[in-house]
Amino acid sequence: MRGTFVIPAKPLYEGKAKSVYSSENPDELIVVFRNDMTAFNGVKHDQFTDKGRLNATASEFFMRMLETEGIPTHFVRMSAPDTMVVRRLEMIPLEVIVRNIAAGSMTKKYPVDEGTVLDRPVVTIDYKDDERGDPMINDDLILVFHILNAEELTKVKEMALKVNKVLRGFFDECGITLVDFKLEFGKSAGTIYLGDEISMDSMRLWDKVTGESLDKDVYRFDKGDVITAYRNVLKRIIPDAVV
Ligand code: ATP
Ligand code: TYD
């Protein structure tokens, strides 16, 4: 059981960190945020008590916030602390990354030092395909492969930059720098929705004063206790949350 939802024996899809189940409503899916944590395309893998709930809580919080800012999201409701009911989307196989500060793969691929503040937010897009190592893709390839048409591509980038504007300002007020993050989008009845998650797994967050990592980099690079870092973020963004 996950709240009012009885988990079917088999998920429709078991990802690296979430399991997706069908629902009685054919337009909805049930997403369970698991305690699994992976890095480096699954090479590093562990489980941490409470991790699923912490990420689900953050994701719910941000999806609700973005809805009020006019961004359509897949969020419908929570059915348990680690379980989200979402609109079923036809997912677009792209990882849309917005970067405010150079870090991670950007500093490995290009001659830019970690921590360099970019002149303006930059959108980079990876083709979501684990077997091919999620290669970076460009506008021409997205169009020629018919992943999106030109209007949809413009819309996706606009939405990603709007999400950045909203989240960046919010985090700043919480004493956190939003370095970069990844979004996934999907379609339903011709409309593009923000799907997947917005959590400490999918963002790079630095304490504004100390510069310490408060996200999955704590796990990736053994920088300390990742659950303590995730709780720290939740306490700052939702002061009355039970974490
Ligand atoms: P990665 O970790 O690289 O994002 P994954 O597939 O292992 O990939 P999970 O988060 O574990 O990721 O799995 C969740 C899956 O559910 C993803 O494939 C995601 O694209 C998909 N998904 C998210 N939201 C929706 C939705 N509203 N409708 C349909 N599928 C969705
Ligand atoms: P990026 O620097 O491209 O990759 P890495 O984290 O492997 O160095 O990541 C940019 C941001 O996007 C970062 O906040 C993590 C997030 N992200 C994901 O959540 N999933 C992914 O598969 C990728 C590539 C990035």
Side-chain angles (χ1 to χ4, degrees):
M1 282 290 280
R2 280 290 196 289
T4 52
F5 167 67
V6 181
I7 296 229
K10 230 169 101 55
L12 281 179
Y13 177 76
E14 183 121 336
K16 293 193 284 294
K18 303 196 287 303
S19 298
V20 181
Y21 298 86
S22 58
S23 145
E24 280 173 8
N25 181 339
D27 297 330
E28 293 178 351
L29 293 173
I30 313 288
V31 178
V32 177
F33 288 67
R34 302 197 316 271
N35 287 336
D36 296 272
M37 188 167 265
T38 68
F40 312 117
N41 208 1
V43 172
K44 189 171 175 179
H45 182 200
D46 288 280
Q47 290 202 320
F48 296 98
T49 302
D50 256 2
K51 183 251 177 186
R53 182 179 65 80
L54 295 171
N55 273 345
T57 306
S59 223
E60 174 195 4
F61 179 76
F62 289 119
M63 294 281 174
R64 286 184 189 278
M65 174 187 287
L66 292 168
E67 285 280 353
T68 68
E69 296 287 342
I71 308 261
T73 81
H74 70 165
F75 178 77
V76 176
R77 64 181 178 276
M78 299 305 284
S79 88
D82 62 354
T83 305
M84 187 181 282
V85 180
V86 303
R87 180 188 292 265
R88 182 193 283 259
L89 301 178
E90 187 194 325
M91 293 307 286
I92 300 162
L94 298 176
E95 302 199 329
V96 180
I97 295 168
V98 184
R99 302 170 184 280
N100 296 304
I101 293 179
S105 67
M106 186 182 217
T107 59
K108 290 194 202 92
K109 288 180 183 157
Y110 307 103
V112 59
D113 290 333
E114 175 164 284
T116 305
V117 179
L118 304 173
D119 288 349
R120 60 176 175 83
V122 169
V123 178
T124 58
I125 306 184
D126 291 346
Y127 179 64
K128 193 171 156 75
D129 183 337
D130 278 345
E131 279 174 23
R132 292 183 168 79
D134 296 338
M136 192 190 270
I137 192 164
N138 69 11
D139 290 8
D140 267 4
L141 289 170
I142 290 171
L143 298 177
V144 87
F145 292 156
H146 304 289
I147 297 170
L148 293 173
N149 66 34
E151 194 188 328
E152 291 167 338
L153 179 55
T154 302
K155 180 83 191 159
V156 161
K157 286 188 192 173
E158 268 173 19
M159 285 170 79
L161 288 170
K162 172 97 188 275
V163 171
N164 184 50
K165 202 169 178 191
V166 173
L167 295 191
R168 192 181 181 181
F170 173 78
F171 273 118
D172 190 62
E173 285 172 16
C174 301
I176 294 173
T177 303
L178 176 60
V179 175
D180 57 31
F181 58 93
K182 182 262 311 182
L183 302 175
E184 290 182 30
F185 294 89
K187 288 189 223 172
S188 167
T191 299
I192 297 182
Y193 290 84
L194 176 62
D196 206 47
E197 69 182 295
I198 302 185
S199 73
M200 290 71 81
D201 273 11
S202 64
M203 296 183 276
R204 216 170 243 120
L205 303 170
W206 293 348
D207 183 291
K208 250 168 83 176
V209 175
T210 65
E212 74 179 307
S213 290
L214 299 170
D215 57 72
K216 193 163 149 183
D217 274 354
V218 175
Y219 170 70
R220 284 193 190 94
F221 304 113
D222 301 312
K223 292 179 175 196
D225 179 25
V226 69
I227 296 302
T228 303
Y230 281 25
R231 276 191 217 287
N232 183 341
V233 173
L234 277 196
K235 278 190 215 144
R236 292 206 213 176
I237 65 173
I238 322 173
D240 54 353
V242 181
V243 294

